[in-house]
Amino acid sequence: MTAVSAAGFSVATLFRMDPLGETDVPSAETGAATDIAVCALGPRRESVKSARDFARETLVRWGAAKLTGDLTLVVSELVTNALCHGMADAPAAPDGDADDDRGPSGHPVQLAMLRKGTRVMCAVQDPGCGLPTPQELGDGAETGRGLHIVECFSTAWGWFPLNGAATRSGKVVWAMFQIPGQ
């Protein structure tokens, strides 16, 4: 069974992420997720702040406020990448209407957060088909540091394409965090 949240993010998608299936996790952390939260984001700059606010409020509600600094920084980077790159390389909607909050492919950029035991994952879905690849940085580079920041501040990160579903295209980029002191 595939559960779909109100925002349209397939909850089953969250369970495809490798860190959730690790076999070396303590037995108390195996099984179903304890909390899932999803936020749909429009294709606007203001969505980066909305995503940070949503992440911060979710972490506080889950009793994981110690992650706020690192996780909100990573969320900023992932959502910025989704808006700058994922929306730009998305296939056009059949009716050509790209002016609404759903984005050019008919579904919005979305942020999903999942808490399972002592770990929290954030995942950003976008309609783009471009691969998230860390850039080689020169001495004076002013851009291209986003995925380096994600790698430095998270326990693990990765991505996978959303293929095989006629109505869904794009990718999910995720980052995993360990709640400090737990």
Side-chain angles (χ1 to χ4, degrees):
M1 179 178 104
T2 301
V4 178
S5 69
F9 199 109
S10 171
V11 174
T13 298
L14 294 171
F15 294 101
R16 291 183 51 194
M17 300 176 204
D18 290 341
L20 294 179
E22 292 174 340
T23 56
D24 62 343
V25 218
S27 60
E29 292 191 27
T30 58
T34 53
D35 291 296
I36 297 174
V38 181
C39 176
L41 301 165
R44 299 178 298 273
R45 273 187 255 170
E46 299 83 25
S47 291
V48 177
K49 181 185 181 316
S50 297
R52 280 193 312 266
D53 293 345
F54 173 79
R56 183 178 304 107
E57 292 164 9
T58 301
L59 290 172
V60 168
R61 193 172 59 250
W62 290 349
K66 291 179 180 179
L67 282 179
T68 300
D70 291 352
L71 191 135
T72 57
L73 175 63
V74 168
V75 162
S76 288
E77 295 299 333
L78 294 180
V79 172
T80 298
N81 283 351
L83 294 172
C84 291
H85 306 293
M87 297 300 288
D89 70 353
D95 62 4
D97 181 14
D99 290 333
D100 63 17
D101 286 353
R102 293 175 302 166
S105 72
H107 63 279
V109 170
Q110 295 178 66
L111 166 63
M113 292 179 57
L114 179 136
R115 183 178 64 87
K116 185 175 184 182
T118 62
R119 296 175 296 154
V120 174
M121 176 184 293
C122 62
V124 176
Q125 173 184 302
D126 70 57
C129 43
L131 306 179
T133 307
Q135 304 297 308
E136 291 292 324
L137 301 175
D139 287 339
E142 293 183 13
T143 62
R145 299 183 193 285
L147 292 177
H148 294 283
I149 289 170
V150 171
E151 186 171 5
C152 288
F153 285 87
S154 64
T155 304
W157 76 278
W159 71 277
F160 59 88
L162 290 173
N163 51 15
T167 59
R168 296 178 84 77
S169 63
K171 66 185 166 298
V172 172
V173 183
W174 57 266
M176 180 71 70
F177 296 83
Q178 181 71 33
I179 300 172
Q182 293 190 10

